[in-house]
């Protein structure tokens, strides 16, 4: 563009932007082209695969520029969502979150154990962030559905569990430390670790 006035004409509806402009804008900002052109799907729907066990996406996600995790702070039956930062403005959210609590049956326990293995191996590769961003319940599901911009979890003053993931994979801490975990993350966090330890004994 030669001047900002060209953009203003699109912004104020004085003329329609050409498809070439829309395609470039979508590419730079990670916007769903179908939504921008035709109003189909949601603004930030992407082509990331749906995984039911976190370990399955280890190879795919290990090469990403940056990995971010998010959860609902107050929820007892907490889940862990995953976002990858691909470029300066492009963030993509995986469409399914993973079980991150102990109130589970056999299937949920297997998923929780897979998440533990995934995080442990991600940490060995030095790709795991220590903390987890906190979002509202409404934001959580809108992120998974591609309805809102995934980069918003990085906005200033957002609550953040600073060492949550490091603490989660450190299963064998003393009782005093466990008391702190209950205070910071809730009882289900410690119960999740207990469940994982019991499963490790089987293997």
């Amino acid at each position: 563009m030669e001047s900002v006035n060209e953009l203003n004409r699109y912004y104020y509806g004085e003329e329609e932007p050409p498809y070439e402009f829309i395609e470039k804008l979508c590419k730079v900002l990670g916007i769903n082209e179908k939504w921008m052109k035709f109003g189909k799907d949601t603004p930030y729907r992407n082509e990331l695969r749906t995984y039911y066990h976190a370990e399955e996406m280890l190879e795919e996600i290990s090469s990403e520029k940056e990995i971010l995790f998010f959860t609902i702070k107050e929820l007892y039956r907490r889940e862990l969502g995953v976002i990858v930062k691909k470029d300066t403005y492009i963030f993509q959210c995986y469409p399914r979150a993973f079980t991150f609590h102990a109130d589970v049956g056999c299937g949920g326990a297997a998923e929780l154990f897979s998440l533990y293995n995934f995080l442990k191996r991600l940490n060995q590769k030095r790709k795991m962030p220590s903390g987890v961003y906190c979002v509202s319940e409404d934001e959580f599901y809108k992120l998974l559905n591609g309805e809102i911009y995934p980069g918003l979890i990085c906005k200033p003053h957002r609550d953040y569990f600073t060492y949550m993931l490091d603490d989660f994979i450190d299963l064998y801490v003393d009782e005093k430390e466990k008391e702190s975990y209950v205070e910071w993350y809730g009882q289900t966090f410690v119960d999740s670790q207990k469940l994982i330890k019991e499963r490790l004994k089987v293997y």
Side-chain angles (χ1 to χ4, degrees), residues 10-21:
Y10 303 151
Y11 182 78
Y12 291 110
E14 295 171 10
E15 62 180 85
E16 289 290 320
Y19 272 5
E20 183 184 11
F21 171 82

Side-chain angles (χ1 to χ4, degrees), residues 152-175:
L152 72 79
I153 67 163
C154 302
K155 68 182 182 182
H157 312 302
R158 182 176 290 286
D159 284 343
Y160 188 72
F161 286 126
T162 307
Y163 299 112
M164 189 179 214
L165 299 181
D166 282 338
D167 292 340
F168 182 69
I169 62 175
D170 187 9
L171 300 178
Y172 300 99
V173 296
D174 59 37
E175 290 302 316

Side-chain angles (χ1 to χ4, degrees), residues 4 20 35 38 43-44 49-50 55 57-59 63 72 75 83 90-91 100 113 125 135 152 154 156-157 176 196 201:
V4 74
E20 183 184 11
W35 176 79
F38 312 114
Y44 295 96
R49 283 180 57 191
T50 298
E55 285 176 281
M57 68 185 204
L58 181 68
E59 187 176 341
S63 60
I72 303 168
L75 204 65
I83 289 172
I90 301 177
F91 294 78
F100 198 43
F113 187 63
K125 290 173 176 284
V135 298
L152 72 79
C154 302
H157 312 302
K176 188 174 182 181
I196 291 164
K201 290 176 186 176

Side-chain angles (χ1 to χ4, degrees), residues 48 57 61 64-71 80-88 90-94 98 118-119 122 127-135 140 143-144 149-155 158 160 165:
L48 292 178
M57 68 185 204
I61 207 170
E64 295 293 352
K65 183 177 181 180
E66 187 177 352
I67 306 164
L68 309 108
F69 293 90
F70 64 98
T71 192
L80 194 67
V82 186
I83 289 172
V84 289
K85 183 177 182 180
K86 293 185 170 286
D87 209 338
T88 306
I90 301 177
F91 294 78
Q92 292 185 344
C93 182
Y94 278 87
F98 299 102
F118 166 70
L119 292 172
L122 205 60
K127 296 290 290 186
M128 185 186 80
S130 177
V132 177
Y133 288 96
C134 300
V135 298
F140 187 87
L143 283 166
L144 295 179
Y149 178 52
L152 72 79
I153 67 163
C154 302
K155 68 182 182 182
R158 182 176 290 286
Y160 188 72
L165 299 181

